[in-house]
Amino acid sequence: MEIQLVEIPKIVNAQGNIGVIEKDVIPFDIKRVYYLYDVPSSAKRGGHAHKNLQQLLVPLSGSFDVILKNGTDEITITLNKPDKGLLINNHIWRELNNFSSGAVCMVLASGIYDEDDYIRNYKDYLKYIKDKK
Ligand code: T46
């Protein structure tokens, strides 16, 4: 499984940097922005896949781990740089854990919130991707 890291263009300045995400930085139109914050270090988030949703995760502050599964492979990546986002396509199972104190995970999403787009059970996920092949 390929990790799709997106380099976020930045304007570097001794007084502080600016990260800029414009239209061409990610391969979808942004329909929703949300962010995870005040996450306890023991928390486990995610634990699902999406049928259609594509997302870019950006660690605005601190760090956390993302585990990606596609039914065959599994990869863990630590996100800790605000200028490196992780693109997660649809049909990829994700779990997030190991949040540092003060970590903020901003998510740019290709769609609005839709519970019907979630697959929250791993066995259902494996069946879903097998049936899609
Ligand atoms: C992902 C990680 C990084 C809403 O009502 N609207 C929303 O936009 C969202 C994201 C959630 N919710 C409700 C739905 C659930 O009742 O908030 C509750 C928790 O949502 P969810 O299980 O989606 O939360 P996470 O943090 O486990 O997962 C989310 C994304 O869904 C997921 O795709 O990659 O953040």
Side-chain angles (χ1 to χ4, degrees), residues 66 77 84 91 104:
V66 185
I77 178 165
K84 301 240 177 346
H91 300 180
V104 179

Side-chain angles (χ1 to χ4, degrees), residues 21-71:
I21 301 174
E22 285 181 312
K23 196 165 138 280
D24 295 336
V25 175
I26 47 177
F28 55 80
D29 290 337
I30 300 163
K31 298 274 169 48
R32 177 172 48 129
V33 177
Y34 61 90
Y35 44 95
L36 313 179
Y37 64 101
D38 284 351
V39 183
S41 59
S42 59
K44 296 185 189 314
R45 312 249 0 170
H48 56 253
H50 289 279
K51 295 172 190 164
N52 296 302
L53 194 72
Q54 295 173 275
Q55 306 199 99
L56 181 77
L57 274 55
V58 184
L60 287 189
S61 177
S63 70
F64 52 88
D65 293 342
V66 185
I67 300 153
L68 300 176
K69 299 179 185 176
N70 64 4

